[in-house]
Amino acid sequence: MVKHIDAIIVGAGWAGSIMAKELTEAGLSVVMLERGSERTTPVEGAYPESIDELRGAIRKRLFQNLSQSTLTIRNTMDQTALPYRQLAAFLPGEGVGGAGLHWSGVHFRVAPEDLRLRSAVIERYGEKFIPEGMNLQDYGVSYDELEPFFDKAEKVFGTSGEAYKVQGKIVGDGNVFSPDRSDNFPLPAMEDTFSASVFRDAAKNAGYHPYSLPAANASRQYTNTYGCQMGPCNFCGYCSGYDCYLYSKASPNVNILPVLRQDPRFSLIPNAHVLRVDLDSTKTKATGVTYLDTKTRKETSLSADLVILGAFQFHNVHLMLMSGIGKPYDPISNTGTVGRNFVYQTITSSRVWLPPSTYTNQFVGAGGAGVAIDDFNSMNFDHGPLGFVGGSPVWVNQAGVKPIAAALGAGGGGTPRWGSAYKDSLVNTYKHSLGIDAHGSNMAYRDVYLDLDPTWKDAYGQPLLRMTFTWKDNDIRMNQYVVSKIEPIARAMGATKMNLVHLNAGQPFDTRTYQTTHLGGGAIMGENPQTSAINRYLQSWDVSNVFVIGSNAFPQGMGYNPTGMVAALAYWAAHHIRTTYLKSPGPLVKA
Amino acid sequence: MEPTLNNPFRRSVVKGLLGTTSFWMASGNARWAEALAAEAAQPYQPAFFNAAEYQFLESACERLFPADHNGPGAKALGVAEFLDRQMQTPYARGENWYMSGPFEQGPANLGYQLPFVPKDLYRKGIAGVEHYARQQYGKGFSALSALQQDEILTALEGGSVQLGDIPGRVFFEQLRTNTLEGAFADPLYGGNRGLGGWIMLGFPGARADFMDWVNQEGASYPIGPVSISGETA
Ligand SMILES: Cc1cc2nc3c(=O)[nH]c(=O)nc-3n(C[C@H](O)[C@H](O)[C@H](O)COP(=O)(O)OP(=O)(O)OC[C@H]3O[C@@H](n4cnc5c(N)ncnc54)[C@H](O)[C@@H]3O)c2cc1C
Ligand code: SF4
């Protein structure tokens, strides 16, 4: 017999670790189940073995092992979805820390109007402005409500940045479009790499408003709210896809788990793949979860009062579908909510070449460091004459370009991909160029969604999740518009050559090249149980002792990277669990 | 098995073999030239590929990544050895790939859908290219002129050739990818001999500390590369 547990948490990433910390603080006994293995910086991050591109980002040491489970993907509903057999377009995490161990560290808040995008668009342009088939929705929570939790998260992550406005006063040269903050960043902004500094000057000359990317890479030594320590980042260039060897990049492993592991109320079970949340006969209450020990292949059921899903966006959706939590979304009848509003992130990377006397040293970098402009993000510009919804920050985020990645990506688009001419361009591009990204929003559509695949199964016999996704006209035009704004910046940089890359009309989503791991939606938050799977506290509308934490909650994809928002939503949900739910368990919002 | 640091065999082989000259040395790339000499003295014995397959790889990889004024090519960098050693890792057995059937083909943008892992792709792909070479030119790939070899590679890349079960383009992409990996991975894995790939790009390898070099106003980074095992150049 297993003793009774107050709360089970599925997944040991940021979402799970934040919830585990909060719930143990509230006095609950917490068991965290993680399908992957144990991971700690002294082992996975140890220098110099961790500074190995082949073993790291290329052979994908730290990411999800697709041989055990994956998903199937198709562009449109009339196609047969096929398995995502090799990691490429996105790289989900696995193992303690989740993708929080190998993320880059760009740590944003949110553009306030993105939280109420439907209302904001209608107020400005009228309801007719929203294209047919676009499921534009509000989150049901405001920036002011979330602000304390953004602040809390930044102080846990040790975020480096420069503020614009704190408590109504302009305090620095930060992002003029960013909302008011209750406090400054805990650490000063990361230094600009040479490439970023060139972009900053050029963007200013072109009339835009450059700012330092907020980075969960420590610009100084830092001790966080929990007493966990970080060392200063040295721009080693091995953030993205790697475990930071210097304890400089925020991760659950460095910033939360060291204290959590010492708490007798907390236990962590690695190699525990949760198969489903168990429900009682009414299907309105969870009784616990059933997991498989991936080493022994033995199934175990644990009982608990509260179940938190923090398994990452699409794994959360998969677990809900496997468990019968909520009603599966059906795009034909437009009913159900689980799987609805699946979204991603538009991203295109353009390239600018500087004169041969100038070396961009692209191997120098930090995952979260860089300079961005928000002039074409969110509702910061007039969409009226443009006729699309959404926007993109534009940035130089030199995270450290390594040689294999550079070599694989060089050539193409009409230029040789091998041979001596290819080598010429590879060497020239590596030494003298820099990348500029348009990293933008992606709206939700009625025929873009997640459900269960009818054919393929994972290693545990469960159906794979099926993703139906492609780029739509609204988002393609948005990307094209924003990319066109890069040209004057590149000119002001003194570019000798530029390659502006944008999405093309009708271009389908391609699973073969890395874009981002910023997948969202599928179990979204909202104020209406007909159009959202979870309420504004991230509580299942249908099973009130299940909370679903992650970017699955986003009704549409925003221009910013998701993790800052995920962390704030986790602290927000935890706050309401602690202050309200635990006193009287039940729905926090009446359906 | 993953290669470990306890086996810095490349270093011990390279040590002490100074003084080999070649035209690359003029551009300062002395280190891999030494490695090349070491290789000639003690050639690598492939364990996965047979002699004919290995010869194909030496020729084909050199066409993909030829020695030129930029620096060494695939042969000097040990790319074929790298490939052979990779064939003995979980990667070659597709252990991180989802390899459950059914295997249905679909549009290219939905990704790889063949029932073959890298080991199979090489076995079948090399046999297929050799067959194609004999058919088109009456000789095996390695016996052809560079121009003819390039014609074959161009045809594979362009997608007009089927190699038995395998589309020529799939084999081409596999070969190109692994060739470039071999040119630029840490020498721990048998390629990038003498750090020649990194020198070419000005990549400092495992230095991983640029505290004082975040912004030097576009100056070239002054320190040469170092490998995981401590080899420098
Ligand atoms: C290379 C890379 C760079 C990135 N850079 C940035 C960035 O700069 N900024 C940013 O904001 N975001 C970035 N991201 C995204 C970021 O990593 C994610 O948003 C974030 O980690 C999500 O946290 P999470 O806790 O929701 O999920 P995860 O970190 O994915 O954690 C979920 C955990 O749940 C486990 N799990 C899943 N299913 C089960 C199951 N059935 N049973 C048990 N356990 C399970 C997984 O193994 C995993 O460990 C990046 C991602 C990648 C891959
Ligand atoms: S760049 Fe900085 S934060 Fe990133 S891995 Fe290196 S030291 Fe860590």
Side-chain angles (χ1 to χ4, degrees):
Chain A
M1 254 312 277
V2 180
K3 75 173 186 324
H4 180 75
I5 304 156
D6 294 330
I8 288 172
I9 294 181
V10 184
W14 278 121
S17 302
I18 288 170
M19 295 306 288
K21 181 75 181 78
E22 286 283 308
L23 296 180
T24 51
E25 275 179 21
L28 270 55
S29 60
V30 171
V31 171
M32 187 152 80
L33 301 166
E34 165 56 48
R35 70 177 168 186
S37 56
E38 184 56 272
R39 278 185 182 146
T40 58
T41 303
V43 179
E44 278 73 26
Y47 182 90
E49 294 94 318
S50 65
I51 307 300
D52 182 341
E53 186 188 12
L54 186 74
R55 195 163 68 113
I58 301 296
R59 292 286 177 267
K60 309 192 159 58
R61 168 167 80 117
L62 296 175
F63 311 136
Q64 181 178 348
N65 180 354
L66 296 188
S67 72
Q68 300 303 295
S69 70
T70 184
L71 31 67
T72 64
I73 306 177
R74 59 181 179 177
N75 295 126
T76 53
M77 287 171 65
D78 56 7
Q79 282 181 315
T80 302
L82 296 174
Y84 181 58
R85 296 185 182 276
Q86 302 173 347
L87 284 173
F90 48 87
L91 304 168
E94 185 165 289
V96 172
L101 186 67
H102 55 71
W103 71 319
S104 306
V106 177
H107 185 190
F108 274 111
R109 292 188 168 195
V110 70
E113 288 188 296
D114 280 355
L115 293 176
R116 50 185 301 279
L117 196 57
R118 181 180 181 82
S119 303
V121 166
I122 291 174
E123 277 161 25
R124 254 190 254 178
Y125 308 115
E127 193 157 359
K128 285 218 189 82
F129 195 79
I130 302 170
E132 173 76 31
M134 184 190 285
N135 284 346
L136 193 59
Q137 284 180 220
D138 294 349
Y139 279 67
V141 65
S142 70
Y143 174 77
D144 288 343
E145 288 173 305
L146 289 181
E147 201 287 331
F149 306 101
F150 281 117
D151 180 64
K152 187 168 180 171
E154 285 168 358
K155 287 170 176 161
V156 170
F157 284 53
T159 305
S160 304
E162 175 152 20
Y164 175 62
K165 220 191 286 169
V166 173
Q167 300 196 11
K169 273 205 205 84
I170 295 173
V171 295
D173 197 18
N175 179 7
V176 298
F177 297 102
S178 66
D180 197 25
R181 308 165 51 94
S182 57
D183 199 357
N184 235 307
F185 286 98
L187 290 174
M190 296 283 282
E191 197 185 330
D192 289 354
T193 58
F194 171 66
S195 305
S197 76
V198 171
F199 178 78
R200 186 187 291 276
D201 294 343
K204 214 175 269 170
N205 286 340
Y208 305 135
H209 301 84
Y211 63 92
S212 299
L213 283 175
N217 313 121
S219 60
R220 303 273 189 282
Q221 187 190 321
Y222 183 67
T223 302
N224 80 0
T225 340
Y226 301 143
C228 299
Q229 295 184 329
M230 302 172 84
C233 162
N234 71 5
F235 288 75
C236 84
Y238 285 81
C239 275
S240 197
Y242 299 81
D243 177 350
C244 173
Y245 78 99
L246 281 177
Y247 298 81
S248 307
K249 179 179 68 179
S251 65
N253 316 58
V254 167
N255 298 57
I256 300 179
L257 289 167
V259 276
L260 207 42
R261 290 177 196 273
Q262 287 165 25
D263 192 322
R265 284 165 297 203
F266 173 76
S267 51
L268 165 59
I269 308 180
N271 307 308
H273 184 96
V274 175
L275 297 169
R276 66 184 162 276
V277 179
D278 299 312
L279 305 183
D280 73 2
S281 57
T282 69
K283 304 271 180 205
T284 59
K285 190 167 182 285
T287 56
V289 307
T290 297
Y291 74 91
L292 190 84
D293 181 320
T294 57
K295 297 271 183 249
T296 64
R297 298 270 155 165
K298 224 185 82 193
E299 271 189 33
T300 305
S301 295
L302 299 177
S303 84
D305 293 332
L306 187 59
V307 175
I308 309 285
L309 300 183
F312 184 60
Q313 182 264 334
F314 68 81
H315 299 305
N316 282 345
V317 174
H318 189 238
L319 279 167
M320 291 175 83
L321 291 170
M322 290 314 304
S323 313
I325 298 170
K327 191 168 169 215
Y329 173 63
D330 174 357
I332 310 273
S333 62
N334 205 9
T335 57
T337 56
V338 182
R340 189 176 182 276
N341 277 40
F342 168 65
V343 292
Y344 197 19
Q345 179 110 59
T346 54
I347 182 165
T348 53
S349 299
S350 297
R351 195 147 282 281
V352 169
W353 282 261
L354 300 180
S357 56
T358 305
Y359 290 79
T360 48
N361 296 321
Q362 295 183 76
F363 47 85
V364 176
V371 171
I373 58 166
D374 261 10
D375 298 69
F376 306 102
N377 187 31
S378 189
M379 297 290 280
N380 303 344
F381 58 110
D382 185 6
H383 291 69
L386 302 169
F388 59 74
V389 180
S392 292
V394 173
W395 62 50
V396 167
N397 166 221
Q398 186 168 295
V401 181
K402 286 160 287 290
I404 300 174
L408 294 177
T415 69
R417 296 175 65 236
W418 51 280
S420 201
Y422 157 81
K423 282 178 79 181
D424 289 346
S425 83
L426 166 63
V427 171
N428 178 41
T429 299
Y430 194 72
K431 290 186 173 172
H432 307 297
S433 76
L434 56 88
I436 305 183
D437 305 324
H439 180 279
S441 59
N442 173 229
M443 296 301 135
Y445 302 90
R446 179 167 168 176
D447 58 355
V448 170
Y449 65 105
L450 302 172
D451 65 354
L452 293 175
D453 190 86
T455 307
W456 282 276
K457 299 209 161 22
D458 64 21
Y460 319 115
Q462 294 190 319
L464 298 185
L465 193 71
R466 175 169 69 177
M467 175 190 291
T468 305
F469 177 80
T470 200
W471 304 117
K472 297 275 192 173
D473 179 62
N474 174 85
D475 303 82
I476 293 170
R477 285 189 296 113
M478 180 281 292
N479 170 265
Q480 290 178 343
Y481 173 75
V482 177
V483 170
S484 75
K485 301 296 177 186
I486 295 175
E487 196 177 332
I489 305 178
R491 268 217 215 90
M493 281 177 164
T496 57
K497 187 175 122 184
M498 60 180 100
N499 181 18
L500 299 182
V501 178
H502 54 75
L503 295 173
N504 290 308
Q507 177 178 338
F509 168 55
D510 192 326
T511 66
R512 295 170 300 175
T513 46
Y514 187 67
Q515 284 147 73
T516 68
T517 310
H518 308 161
L519 304 152
I524 67 170
M525 61 193 292
E527 290 174 301
N528 179 351
Q530 302 305 316
T531 54
S532 58
I534 53 181
N535 66 26
R536 73 189 216 105
Y537 304 108
L538 291 88
Q539 179 183 39
S540 162
W541 286 110
D542 303 274
V543 183
S544 65
N545 62 339
V546 171
F547 286 75
V548 189
I549 316 293
S551 54
N552 55 272
F554 301 0
Q556 47 271 331
M558 53 188 184
Y560 287 162
N561 315 50
T563 310
M565 181 66 181
V566 169
L569 287 176
Y571 280 116
W572 154 262
H575 174 78
H576 291 280
I577 293 173
R578 292 176 70 170
T579 54
T580 311
Y581 177 88
L582 289 177
K583 288 182 187 137
S584 130
L588 290 168
V589 181
K590 280 219 171 65
Chain B
M1 207 188 75
E2 291 270 18
T4 69
L5 295 182
N6 306 329
N7 181 24
F9 85 98
R10 178 57 56 200
R11 290 194 77 199
S12 47
V13 174
V14 166
K15 238 182 252 163
L17 282 153
L18 291 166
T20 316
T21 48
S22 76
F23 73 91
W24 298 302
M25 286 191 71
S27 52
N29 298 334
R31 191 73 196 193
W32 59 262
E34 294 162 25
L36 179 59
E39 178 65 17
Q42 199 180 12
Y44 172 77
Q45 293 303 317
F48 174 79
F49 295 112
N50 64 35
E53 289 169 330
Y54 200 70
Q55 198 185 14
F56 165 83
L57 291 175
E58 295 227 298
S59 314
C61 298
E62 183 68 16
R63 293 317 302 154
L64 294 177
F65 201 81
D68 65 6
H69 62 275
N70 293 294
K75 192 156 198 299
L77 291 169
V79 167
E81 175 182 338
F82 168 86
L83 283 170
D84 189 68
R85 287 169 59 178
Q86 284 298 300
M87 289 302 112
Q88 297 155 60
T89 65
Y91 163 71
R93 302 188 289 273
E95 287 180 17
N96 275 353
W97 293 359
Y98 179 77
M99 289 305 285
S100 303
F103 290 89
E104 285 180 23
Q105 302 313 300
N109 68 296
L110 295 184
Y112 185 77
Q113 299 297 335
L114 294 172
F116 308 118
V117 300
K119 270 181 7 170
D120 308 332
L121 290 174
Y122 277 100
R123 262 292 105 88
K124 290 167 180 280
I126 295 174
V129 180
E130 291 292 8
H131 180 75
Y132 177 80
R134 284 204 185 81
Q135 227 176 27
Q136 298 291 314
Y137 301 93
K139 281 186 205 163
F141 186 87
S142 301
L144 300 177
S145 71
L147 203 71
Q148 291 168 324
Q149 292 177 343
D150 286 358
E151 278 171 15
I152 293 182
L153 292 168
T154 304
L156 294 174
E157 184 186 27
S160 61
V161 181
Q162 181 73 24
L163 306 172
D165 300 339
I166 297 171
R169 182 187 279 159
V170 170
F171 178 65
F172 176 87
E173 292 302 329
Q174 183 74 33
L175 186 63
R176 176 184 184 267
T177 296
N178 295 144
T179 299
L180 297 175
E181 288 169 1
F184 296 112
D186 192 280
L188 196 59
Y189 302 98
N192 188 15
R193 279 195 197 139
L195 313 182
W198 292 350
I199 293 168
M200 212 175 331
L201 291 184
F203 175 68
R207 294 222 174 268
D209 178 7
F210 304 112
M211 201 69 134
D212 54 352
W213 207 266
V214 180
N215 183 0
Q216 293 284 353
E217 303 296 341
S220 160
Y221 185 74
I223 308 174
V226 61
S227 76
I228 287 174
S229 72
E231 180 181 352
T232 54

